[in-house]
Amino acid sequence: MAHWVKFAIALVSAGLGLWTFMVLPGWWGAVSFVGVFFVGGTVAHVVFKKLAAPDQIREDLQARLLSD
């Protein structure tokens, strides 16, 4: 479940970032896109750490390590 919540938060933040990019004029759109994407990714990571069991965290780290 923790992976799905992390994915949902990242997806919502990407959508919100794209929406701000389209709505705000000039450089404000690009700056807000980067900011929303960064904040959303950070929130998704923190929520994953809170919800995931230690085994899930370990498996996630091993998958990142072996993904090369």
Side-chain angles (χ1 to χ4, degrees), residues 5-34:
V5 173
K6 180 180 178 181
F7 176 71
I9 292 172
L11 189 66
V12 168
S13 69
L16 184 61
L18 286 173
W19 179 76
T20 59
F21 180 74
M22 298 299 287
V23 170
L24 295 176
W27 288 100
W28 288 109
V31 170
S32 66
F33 174 74
V34 171

Side-chain angles (χ1 to χ4, degrees), residues 7-64:
F7 176 71
I9 292 172
L11 189 66
V12 168
S13 69
L16 184 61
L18 286 173
W19 179 76
T20 59
F21 180 74
M22 298 299 287
V23 170
L24 295 176
W27 288 100
W28 288 109
V31 170
S32 66
F33 174 74
V34 171
V36 168
F37 197 73
F38 178 74
V39 170
T42 303
V43 169
H45 179 72
V46 169
V47 169
F48 176 75
K49 289 286 188 178
K50 296 272 186 190
L51 292 178
D55 291 338
Q56 286 178 319
I57 295 172
R58 188 177 319 108
E59 289 173 5
D60 185 57
L61 290 173
Q62 286 178 347
R64 290 183 192 192

